Amino acid sequence: LPILEVSEMMKENRTAAILVCTRRQQLRGIITDTDIARRVTAKGLDPMEAIVSDIMTENPKTVRITDDASDALRLMVKGKFRHLPVMGESGEDIIGILDIQKCLTDAISRLEKAENSSASGSSSPRKRRESRTRGIEKRIREARRRGVRSRTPTNNGLGDNGGGYEDSLGSNDEFVIPTLSKILRQLGQTRPRFVRPEDSSLRAAKLMDDLKKGVMVVEEGKLVGILSPSDIVRKVVAADEDARDMIVDNIMTENPLS
């Protein structure tokens, strides 16, 4: 199947990943928007000639429908990928795809419920916030007394079933809250690299391939937008546009929150 058709499917279904199966519905691989941006657009390949088997990740790791969401999140963080195929109880039937954002949402929801439950006796939002803060500080102090060391990010950002935080979740009773400056230093981003609105989509895709993540769009020293692999797939590849001619200004997300 040509990459152009896969990109059109992603755009139509508003998805960032598609599973590749055999005729017997056996999982063979996974292909993501990041794969397309980095392995097709950045390399200057023709999406009509490049095919799925050329760029997909073969035999991806999977979870079963009965597995806990936090376990799936831990697997994605440790494996440094953002999408995870979900299989049936037997491990053979394909159920769907789980993305890291959904796992994070579930984990955050659980934390909020636990904190709200522990602070249910408080009479005001302010007191509940103070209670949550004291609880977090207590966990940090306890972790330090036990000699728990903060997990630090690896040198790569999150990729797709194929960089990110190494064992950053720890066990349920370990709290790690690194500062943003520390994270950026660990990731080598003290001097951010960016593209300009007038740059070509091809240049942006090449930078994404180099950084292994989306890029910032900067004009006259100010952040004016961001560009993700999804933008490249939906607005360039799926639209059958030439990445050499399509400029960043036409496909970026303007004025992102920062």
Side-chain angles (χ1 to χ4, degrees):
L1 192 67
I3 295 302
L4 177 59
E5 292 187 29
V6 175
S7 300
E8 291 172 344
M9 291 170 60
M10 287 184 175
K11 179 180 180 181
E12 182 180 350
N13 293 284
R14 297 186 178 184
T15 183
I18 291 180
L19 299 181
V20 183
C21 309
T22 65
R23 292 183 178 180
R24 295 183 178 181
Q25 295 300 302
Q26 295 176 321
L27 181 63
R28 183 182 172 192
I30 186 172
I31 183 170
T32 70
D33 52 7
T34 301
D35 293 328
I36 295 174
R38 292 177 54 196
R39 300 174 184 174
V40 178
T41 306
K43 305 302 182 186
L45 301 180
D46 187 339
M48 271 299 294
E49 295 182 359
I51 59 176
V52 170
S53 59
D54 292 337
I55 69 169
M56 72 177 186
T57 298
E58 296 187 48
N59 303 315
K61 292 183 180 298
T62 63
V63 290
R64 300 189 181 189
I65 191 67
T66 52
D67 291 338
D68 192 84
S70 60
D71 292 334
L73 175 58
R74 189 172 287 106
L75 178 61
M76 284 189 278
V77 171
K78 186 175 181 180
K80 306 172 186 177
F81 46 79
R82 297 184 295 128
H83 300 95
L84 195 60
V86 180
M87 314 298 288
E89 293 185 27
S90 65
E92 297 180 358
D93 299 329
I94 300 173
I95 303 299
I97 306 177
L98 190 65
D99 65 64
I100 197 168
Q101 182 178 354
K102 291 180 180 178
C103 286
L104 284 170
T105 299
D106 180 80
I108 291 171
S109 176
R110 291 188 180 191
L111 282 174
E112 289 178 341
K113 289 180 180 179
E115 290 171 358
N116 289 335
S117 176
S118 64
S120 59
S122 301
S123 58
S124 69
R126 179 180 176 180
K127 289 184 178 180
R128 288 196 294 271
R129 287 194 299 270
E130 291 174 349
S131 177
R132 288 196 294 269
T133 301
R134 287 194 298 270
I136 292 174
E137 291 174 345
K138 181 179 179 181
R139 293 188 187 188
I140 293 174
R141 288 194 300 270
E142 290 175 350
R144 286 174 177 170
R145 282 198 297 269
R146 294 197 307 270
V148 176
R149 300 179 62 185
S150 298
R151 272 72 171 169
T152 55
T154 59
N155 289 329
N156 297 320
L158 280 175
D160 285 287
N161 218 316
Y165 297 100
E166 210 168 61
D167 194 25
S168 63
L169 295 179
S171 61
N172 292 334
D173 61 344
E174 294 173 1
F175 246 85
V176 180
I177 307 179
T179 63
L180 290 177
S181 60
K182 182 175 182 180
I183 292 174
L184 291 175
R185 285 197 302 272
Q186 292 288 340
L187 294 176
Q189 293 184 15
T190 51
R191 295 182 180 179
R193 298 170 63 183
F194 54 85
V195 293
R196 296 178 174 82
E198 64 271 20
D199 287 336
S200 70
S201 298
L202 177 59
R203 184 180 185 283
K206 287 182 176 180
L207 184 57
M208 286 183 194
D209 185 31
D210 185 28
L211 298 176
K212 297 179 175 60
K213 57 176 62 66
V215 295
M216 296 185 296
V217 185
V218 176
E219 185 175 34
E220 297 180 353
K222 295 181 179 180
L223 178 67
V224 296
I226 57 173
L227 194 66
S228 68
S230 179
D231 294 322
I232 295 289
V233 171
R234 292 186 295 105
K235 302 173 184 178
V236 180
V237 182
D240 200 17
E241 298 283 355
D242 192 325
R244 295 170 297 182
D245 298 329
M246 178 64 73
I247 62 173
V248 170
D249 189 49
N250 292 336
I251 64 173
M252 69 180 185
T253 299
E254 297 183 32
N255 304 316
L257 295 175
S258 60

